[in-house]
């Protein structure tokens, strides 16, 4: 893993749902009720996560869809998406669905892109709710293909769940992973014999054996590598035994036909 990671988070959603309020609450801990239409605002921040230095570009986009070329460029260059709707507005949730369809059309890798769908204005939901989180979850988890995504509700005004939204992207992006998961995740497709050998190492409960079978061979005498080498030989013996058994069956069948 490199010492530096850079991701671009693009925020999409309809006008007036509170996209800018979420960003400013997170970055500056400020909030205002005054509405100002956003064309495009870009914020840059660096975070020390211990293992890596994370550089984040947060792109706050327009909600009125007046700049389609700019919107396509934002979607094409994003590493993650925050799709924002208002819990008090059913049309804003319909707009989020359209935003997702734009992402799906333009990004063939959309299933691997971290996506958080956030319902803002939770502070008004008790009296003016129009979108149930169950409906959002059903759409995201049941109606769509399998995604790297999560649904959350928040309130920029009350500073509720704002930091959790951005923490969620760290998990979905898999920037910080356990060492064992990182090694396995970096492997290319392996043969069934190699997988079986690796599984045998896991059953034995030896992390060192797993690393040896998962890495490129650098020395002889590794127990994990010996298991991996022995497996194909046993498979060849099975093939020869199988061919011999089939030949015996054919010979027996030929004798039966001759007798009849």
């Amino acid at each position: 893993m490199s010492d530096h990671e850079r991701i671009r988070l693009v925020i999409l959603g309809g006008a007036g749902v509170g996209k800018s309020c979420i960003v400013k609450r997170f970055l500056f801990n400020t909030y205002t009720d005054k509405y100002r239409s956003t064309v495009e605002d870009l914020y840059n921040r660096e975070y020390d996560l211990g293992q890596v230095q994370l550089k984040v570009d947060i792109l706050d986009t327009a909600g009125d869809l007046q700049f389609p070329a700019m919107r396509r460029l934002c979607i094409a260059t994003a590493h993650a998406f925050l799709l924002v709707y208002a819990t008090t507005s059913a049309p804003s949730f319909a707009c989020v669905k359209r935003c997702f369809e734009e992402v799906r059309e333009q990004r063939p890798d959309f299933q691997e892109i971290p996506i958080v769908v956030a319902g803002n204005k939770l502070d008004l939901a008790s009296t003016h709710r129009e979108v149930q989180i169950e409906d959002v979850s059903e759409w995201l988890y049941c109606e769509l293909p399998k995604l790297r995504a999560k649904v959350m509700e928040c309130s920029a005004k009350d500073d509720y769940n704002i930091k959790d939204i951005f923490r969620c992207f760290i998990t979905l992006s898999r920037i910080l992973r356990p060492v064992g998961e990182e090694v396995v995740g970096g492997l290319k497709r392996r043969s069934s014999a190699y997988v079986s050998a690796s599984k045998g190492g896991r059953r034995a409960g030896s992390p060192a054996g797993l690393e040896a079978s998962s890495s490129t061979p650098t020395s002889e005498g590794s127990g994990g590598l010996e298991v991996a080498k022995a497996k194909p030989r046993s498979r060849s013996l099975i093939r020869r035994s199988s061919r011999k058994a089939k030949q015996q069956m054919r010979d027996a069948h030929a004798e039966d036909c001759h007798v009849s």
Side-chain angles (χ1 to χ4, degrees):
M1 181 183 294
S2 63
D3 293 333
H4 299 277
E5 293 280 351
R6 191 178 195 102
I7 62 172
R8 168 167 285 201
L9 169 62
V10 173
I11 305 177
L12 301 174
V17 297
K19 299 187 299 297
S20 299
C21 291
I22 290 175
V23 174
K24 291 178 181 179
R25 173 63 82 179
F26 174 67
L27 294 177
F28 313 115
N29 197 26
T30 60
Y31 175 81
T32 178
D33 287 322
K34 294 181 180 180
Y35 175 72
R36 180 181 66 86
S37 179
T38 301
V39 176
E40 185 177 277
D41 291 332
L42 179 63
Y43 304 89
N44 307 104
R45 288 293 183 275
E46 293 187 13
Y47 300 95
D48 185 356
L49 301 180
Q51 298 179 23
V52 294
Q53 293 287 331
L54 180 63
K55 299 181 179 181
V56 182
D57 298 329
I58 302 176
L59 186 60
D60 185 11
T61 64
D64 50 15
L65 307 181
Q66 290 184 2
F67 308 97
M70 186 182 298
R71 192 178 185 84
R72 286 194 295 270
L73 180 61
C74 293
I75 293 175
T77 58
H79 299 107
F81 291 99
L82 174 59
L83 307 182
V84 183
Y85 68 94
T87 59
T88 57
S89 171
S92 70
F93 179 45
C95 183
V96 159
K97 291 182 177 180
R98 291 195 296 271
C99 291
F100 175 78
E101 289 304 321
E102 291 184 59
V103 172
R104 176 152 63 174
E105 289 173 4
Q106 296 184 45
R107 297 292 296 270
D109 60 340
F110 73 95
Q111 289 178 278
E112 295 299 319
I113 302 176
I115 299 174
V116 173
V117 180
N120 192 29
K121 303 188 180 182
L122 188 60
D123 52 287
L124 301 175
S126 59
T127 56
H128 299 85
R129 180 184 287 274
E130 293 185 8
V131 183
Q132 301 294 331
I133 191 171
E134 293 81 7
D135 296 334
V136 182
S137 298
E138 182 179 357
W139 166 70
L140 189 65
Y141 299 128
C142 301
E143 298 179 19
L144 298 178
K146 186 176 180 180
L147 303 172
R148 193 186 296 183
K150 187 171 182 179
V151 176
M152 301 184 71
E153 289 187 333
C154 65
S155 170
K157 182 178 182 179
D158 293 345
D159 193 14
Y160 175 74
N161 262 356
I162 300 300
K163 290 183 175 65
D164 290 336
I165 287 174
F166 291 89
R167 287 194 191 102
C168 186
F169 281 109
I170 302 298
T171 303
L172 293 174
S173 299
R174 300 174 184 169
I175 293 173
L176 297 179
R177 295 175 293 182
V179 176
E181 181 182 342
E182 181 184 349
V183 171
V184 175
L187 289 176
K188 297 181 180 180
R189 185 177 179 181
R190 299 167 291 174
S191 67
S192 58
Y194 194 74
V195 172
S196 299
S198 299
K199 288 181 179 179
R202 283 196 291 270
R203 290 193 194 98
S206 172
L210 175 60
E211 292 175 0
S213 62
S214 301
S215 60
T216 302
T218 55
S219 62
E220 297 181 358
S222 170
L225 292 177
E226 289 177 357
V227 174
K229 291 179 180 179
K231 193 66 178 180
R233 288 202 296 270
S234 63
R235 285 170 63 105
S236 63
L237 290 174
I238 293 173
R239 292 194 192 100
R240 289 198 296 270
S241 299
S242 178
R243 286 196 296 267
K244 184 177 180 180
K246 289 180 180 179
Q247 184 62 43
Q248 292 175 348
M249 292 177 63
R250 285 196 293 267
D251 293 342
H253 181 66
E255 293 177 359
D256 291 341
C257 291
H258 181 71
V259 171
S260 61

